[in-house]
Amino acid sequence: MERINLNNVAAFVVVARERSFTRAAAQLGLSQSSLSHTISALEAKLGIRLLTRTTRGVSPTDAGERLLATVGPYCEGIEAGLASLSEERDKPAGTIRISSHDHAVRTILWPKLSALLPTYPDLKVEFSIHYGLIDIVAERFDAGVRVGDQVAKDMIAVRISPDFHMTVVGSPSYFSARSAPIVPQDLLTKHNCINLRLPTHGGLYAWEFEKAGQELSVHVQGQLILNTSSEILTAALEGYGLAYVPQDVADRYIATGDLVQVLDDWRPTYPGYHLYYPSRRNASPAFMLVLEALRLKN
């Protein structure tokens, strides 16, 4: 048998349900004569009559009833699936997956997006902590978050935070046996530093410093290597060594005296975090809602 035009089958289902060419044609946006021709073409292709036409209306034949029972549920499922997509287009629904540093999740993404969830119960947000520069398209993320100078040029980037500082801190117990470093070079010989392992290349993150236009990168040494800033901060609070962490994370512990800030005149400034994604075309309402909630307001 030659391949059947499924549009003709769908038209038959509507006629069989409505038992009227007039009502079916109105639903399908066709003329009655065009719809009648479509059904006749389907019957000719199948070699069997599907509908009985009378002056009082239309009714399925036995063969038509069997076809309706077989294909009708599938047509309903397709209609329901398309309707759900239309609803998603018109309201925020679905899961938005974001790859990000833990610092950005804790200080920006969660504080801003947590307020949306009670208001939009069909919205779901998934944060995935990554320090490496992953391919968000290949990994099926809707967006990624990185500092401005790390965003690929072919991505659309939206600033979601102001510039921020990194700082070096240690606990009072750590400094009870050591003097504070005066210049970044002191870290190489006099201090136990907590390193961050970078997943992209497997190396250790070099601590960066800046003062009066002079920039330094120091490959520090120490007994402990971790892979998130939150773990590094915890280790510093417990006195295991010096930590290089975002200023806004350290501030509360500096204020309480649980951490001591050093080399504050060497703090570098980093460009703020940006949400980046590959295209503006056909963005879902859920994604646009998340984007606008995160966008840095002037």
Side-chain angles (χ1 to χ4, degrees), residues 4 23 57 83 108 240:
I4 301 296
R23 291 192 296 271
I108 303 165
Y240 286 100

Side-chain angles (χ1 to χ4, degrees), residues 50-103:
L50 300 173
L51 297 171
T52 299
R53 301 159 174 83
T54 70
T55 56
R56 295 188 303 275
V58 180
S59 61
T61 63
D62 289 343
E65 289 284 7
R66 291 198 302 273
L67 181 60
L68 179 62
T70 302
V71 303
Y74 291 101
C75 290
E76 291 173 359
I78 293 171
E79 291 169 358
L82 294 175
S84 68
L85 289 178
S86 296
E87 289 177 3
E88 185 172 322
R89 179 194 63 201
D90 297 331
K91 69 176 183 178
T95 301
I96 303 301
R97 301 185 68 231
I98 303 175
S99 168
S100 175
H101 291 174
D102 59 337
H103 173 235

Side-chain angles (χ1 to χ4, degrees), residues 17-269:
R17 285 177 182 162
E18 295 296 328
R19 296 178 181 262
S20 166
F21 274 98
T22 301
R23 291 192 296 271
Q27 281 191 33
L28 296 169
L30 300 172
S31 67
Q32 292 186 47
S33 60
S34 176
L35 180 56
S36 179
H37 177 75
T38 295
I39 300 303
S40 295
L42 176 61
E43 291 175 326
K45 183 76 71 176
L46 294 173
I48 191 169
R49 183 170 293 279
L50 300 173
L51 297 171
T52 299
R53 301 159 174 83
T54 70
T55 56
R56 295 188 303 275
V58 180
S59 61
T61 63
D62 289 343
E65 289 284 7
R66 291 198 302 273
L67 181 60
L68 179 62
T70 302
V71 303
Y74 291 101
C75 290
E76 291 173 359
I78 293 171
E79 291 169 358
L82 294 175
S84 68
L85 289 178
S86 296
E87 289 177 3
E88 185 172 322
R89 179 194 63 201
D90 297 331
K91 69 176 183 178
T95 301
I96 303 301
R97 301 185 68 231
I98 303 175
S99 168
S100 175
H101 291 174
D102 59 337
H103 173 235
V105 171
R106 184 169 62 254
T107 61
I108 303 165
L109 302 184
W110 177 241
K112 290 187 176 181
L113 296 183
S114 60
L116 295 179
L117 299 183
T119 305
Y120 299 95
D122 295 322
L123 174 66
K124 298 179 182 178
V125 179
E126 177 182 343
F127 301 129
S128 183
I129 305 301
H130 285 279
Y131 273 70
L133 298 176
I134 67 169
D135 184 340
I136 61 170
V137 175
E139 298 293 332
R140 299 179 66 83
F141 287 99
D142 296 285
V145 173
R146 293 294 182 271
V147 293
D149 59 356
Q150 293 180 349
V151 176
K153 300 303 182 185
D154 60 344
M155 292 285 171
I156 299 167
V158 175
R159 180 181 277 266
I160 62 173
S161 83
D163 294 348
F164 63 94
H165 296 290
M166 297 290 288
T167 191
V168 178
V169 291
S171 70
S173 63
Y174 174 84
F175 286 114
S176 65
R178 299 171 180 83
S179 60
I182 304 302
V183 293
Q185 292 86 340
D186 290 343
L187 300 172
L188 295 172
T189 57
K190 302 177 182 179
H191 289 278
N192 190 8
C193 299
I194 306 166
N195 265 301
L196 171 69
R197 175 74 70 185
L198 294 174
T200 304
H201 301 293
L204 300 180
Y205 179 70
W207 292 12
E208 298 176 85
F209 298 95
E210 180 182 357
K211 180 179 180 181
Q214 180 184 2
E215 297 181 355
L216 293 176
S217 292
V218 181
H219 292 274
V220 298
Q221 301 296 318
Q223 294 179 285
L224 193 57
I225 299 172
L226 298 168
N227 64 1
T228 71
S229 62
S230 58
E231 292 174 327
I232 289 173
L233 181 66
T234 299
L237 286 166
E238 295 177 1
Y240 286 100
L242 295 182
Y244 185 80
V245 295
Q247 183 74 56
D248 57 353
V249 171
D251 278 341
R252 58 178 291 194
Y253 300 102
I254 296 171
T256 60
D258 293 308
L259 288 175
V260 177
Q261 180 173 316
V262 295
L263 298 173
D264 55 322
D265 55 339
W266 282 92
R267 294 183 308 160
T269 300

